[in-house]
Amino acid sequence: MELTEQQKSMLAGESGNALSLAINTLIDYGLTFGAKRLVPIVSAHLAGSFGAFIYKAYYNIIDKLVTEGVTVKVPTTLNPRPGEQLNLLNRYIFRKQKFFDQKMKQLGVTPNYSCVCYEGANVPKKGDILAWSESSAVQYANSVLGARTNRNSVLIDICSAVTGLTPEFGYLLDENRRGRLLVKLDVKKMDASALGYLLGQKVVNRVPVIEHYPFSELELKNMGGAMAASGAVALFHVEGLTPEAPDLKTVFDGEPDETIIIDQKDLDSLRKPIQNPDLVVFGCPQMTLAEAVKLGESFEGKKCKHKTWFCLAPEAFEKFTQTRSYQYAKKAGVEVHQHCPLASLTVRLGTKNVLSNSGKLVYYLDKAHYNNTEECLKICGGRL
Ligand code: F3S
């Protein structure tokens, strides 16, 4: 790999042993995928935010960086906390949370604890080179904002944050960002999260181009999160809507490899008609302020028929508590949280029959059921 003089010096250990290991890791990672050089990044986002006691090697590496006085070289944000205080089991499993939070602080990481970091704490511009992990955030940055990042892993993200570098391959390069597969829609009632779930399964890791549909930012967030979970999609385009797809000719730069049609029956096939869930969850990826306000309004004068969670990014949570909508939701009995629902529910033994409008949560969580936002609200006692 071609390295600059500065990068060679870091590799040689002139900035310390921990940074030498970090850059060496990035070189190995890049060589595996054919990268020819390391390039500077504008920001990093870290996915490894859960203080589970079993991640010993992870903590050793972070500790090594902190002990040598290393700090992040670029603005770096952090995924949600795991709901470590929710119950006894969570307290036991995530008992390293305080230690982890302290180490992140020492590294200089922004304690935003949000997987929708692009909502405020870390907003990239079109063309910015990033080193993000968290598949839903990667998807949003690439697809909706037109920034450039690969789907990095936990630890690779930290190596990038502390060196300010990432290997140049994959979605950083023009040739891998063009559309591969055309998605035609034959749909009367859109369900973006279900569409994302289905597309992830069908396109796996190719770049889909969805024919024009006026998706809202919220729909793009929830569709992308589902697509990145049920498949390995890191970039999608929507004709005439997302920044790199002004029209089909530009985004394909040739003919699509394949065309698929998604119809109403496909979308509706994901919905499961359960009426007595143990828990109804909204917010994976975490709810934004606009999303919480909109859904909270639907609880005006209502009472929850089933246990209901709103999971918001902390920044949005603070603002949400100042709204009338929050009062409606709280009065109705909605529990408003700031953690990642997946982490807390995965360790919560005996929680069955979770209902959610999140394609991502339903894909990952055992015994979870999907329905669209309108139906989830109706079942738990709200109304859109
Ligand atoms: Fe975010 Fe947790 Fe879902 S990190 S995308 S809320 S699984």
Side-chain angles (χ1 to χ4, degrees):
M1 189 177 282
E2 291 163 25
L3 298 178
T4 64
E5 289 309 312
Q6 209 181 9
Q7 292 166 1
K8 282 182 196 162
S9 143
M10 196 186 285
L11 182 62
E14 285 161 25
S15 311
N17 185 37
L19 277 181
S20 169
L21 287 171
I23 195 170
N24 201 18
T25 304
L26 290 179
I27 292 168
D28 284 346
Y29 172 49
L31 288 174
T32 307
F33 291 97
K36 294 197 172 64
R37 57 181 188 152
L38 298 174
V39 289
I41 55 171
V42 172
S43 77
H45 178 77
L46 312 180
S49 56
F50 304 156
F53 71 90
I54 49 172
Y55 302 153
K56 288 192 181 144
Y58 184 41
Y59 303 136
N60 285 344
I61 292 167
I62 293 170
D63 208 29
K64 190 171 176 57
L65 289 164
V66 170
T67 307
E68 287 196 22
V70 172
T71 53
V72 295
K73 296 282 182 304
V74 290
T76 301
T77 44
L78 190 57
N79 246 13
R81 295 170 69 130
E84 68 280 8
Q85 297 300 335
L86 271 183
N87 56 38
L88 266 181
L89 187 61
N90 278 36
R91 270 182 226 159
Y92 178 74
I93 302 278
F94 299 116
R95 62 181 186 264
K96 295 293 277 186
Q97 195 65 38
K98 268 201 185 125
F99 163 87
F100 175 80
D101 291 347
Q102 177 61 18
K103 295 293 166 195
M104 287 295 113
K105 198 171 166 194
Q106 288 171 292
L107 278 178
V109 174
T110 307
N112 62 315
Y113 297 109
S114 162
C115 53
V116 290
C117 57
Y118 46 82
E119 273 290 309
N122 191 348
V123 190
K125 295 191 299 297
K126 186 174 179 214
D128 281 353
I129 305 292
L130 319 172
W132 286 18
S133 51
E134 173 45 49
S135 64
S136 66
V138 164
Q139 175 87 288
Y140 198 92
N142 273 327
S143 312
V144 183
L145 303 177
R148 297 185 171 213
T149 173
N150 283 310
R151 270 174 70 119
N152 297 292
S153 67
V154 171
L155 266 181
I156 289 291
D157 53 11
I158 292 190
C159 291
S160 282
V162 298
T163 58
L165 299 166
T166 192
E168 190 181 43
F169 70 92
Y171 295 100
L172 271 50
L173 303 171
D174 288 346
E175 63 262 33
N176 298 317
R177 296 183 68 88
R178 76 173 185 85
R180 289 281 166 193
L181 186 135
L182 177 61
V183 182
K184 292 189 171 245
L185 301 173
D186 179 11
V187 166
K188 286 200 179 67
K189 191 169 179 195
M190 179 48 74
D191 181 351
S193 194
L195 176 61
Y197 190 108
L198 294 170
L199 285 183
Q201 289 186 320
K202 283 182 195 287
V203 311
V204 187
N205 63 353
R206 291 177 288 171
V207 180
V209 180
I210 303 167
E211 69 173 6
H212 184 74
Y213 185 88
F215 294 107
S216 64
E217 282 179 10
L218 200 57
E219 286 178 311
L220 291 168
K221 169 188 85 103
N222 293 330
M223 176 168 73
M227 207 187 302
S230 68
V233 185
L235 168 66
F236 66 87
H237 303 288
V238 183
E239 176 195 9
L241 186 68
T242 54
E244 293 173 49
D247 51 60
L248 293 182
K249 191 166 176 282
T250 309
V251 73
F252 278 113
D253 191 22
E255 288 299 307
D257 299 346
E258 194 186 335
T259 298
I260 58 170
I261 300 173
I262 301 285
D263 63 20
Q264 193 67 48
K265 221 166 118 203
D266 294 326
L267 286 191
D268 293 345
S269 67
L270 270 193
R271 294 168 46 196
K272 293 284 181 297
I274 68 156
Q275 292 301 325
N276 283 308
D278 293 336
L279 175 66
V280 185
V281 180
F282 300 92
C284 172
Q286 287 171 304
M287 293 170 99
T288 61
L289 177 64
E291 189 174 8
V293 166
K294 186 175 170 203
L295 268 56
E297 294 281 345
S298 74
F299 286 91
E300 182 181 359
K302 309 264 176 215
K303 277 275 168 252
C304 287
K305 295 186 207 147
H306 304 284
K307 197 177 173 70
T308 302
W309 281 7
F310 278 13
C311 294
L312 277 79
E315 209 180 325
F317 175 87
E318 292 306 326
K319 292 180 186 152
F320 184 50
T321 58
Q322 309 303 315
T323 65
R324 194 183 51 180
S325 174
Y326 173 76
Q327 296 304 333
Y328 296 151
K330 285 298 280 182
K331 254 195 186 152
V334 174
E335 290 181 26
V336 186
H337 294 294
Q338 302 175 57
H339 59 258
C340 162
L342 179 64
S344 53
L345 289 171
T346 304
V347 300
R348 182 178 279 223
L349 300 177
T351 302
K352 298 180 291 228
N353 289 328
V354 173
L355 175 68
S356 182
N357 66 341
S358 161
K360 174 165 180 169
L361 186 68
V362 169
Y363 183 80
Y364 282 135
L365 191 66
D366 196 25
K367 300 201 183 78
H369 307 273
Y370 179 79
N371 215 323
N372 61 28
T373 305
E374 199 179 335
E375 288 300 315
C376 284
L377 281 173
K378 235 191 255 169
I379 292 166
C380 73
R383 190 159 49 88
L384 257 193

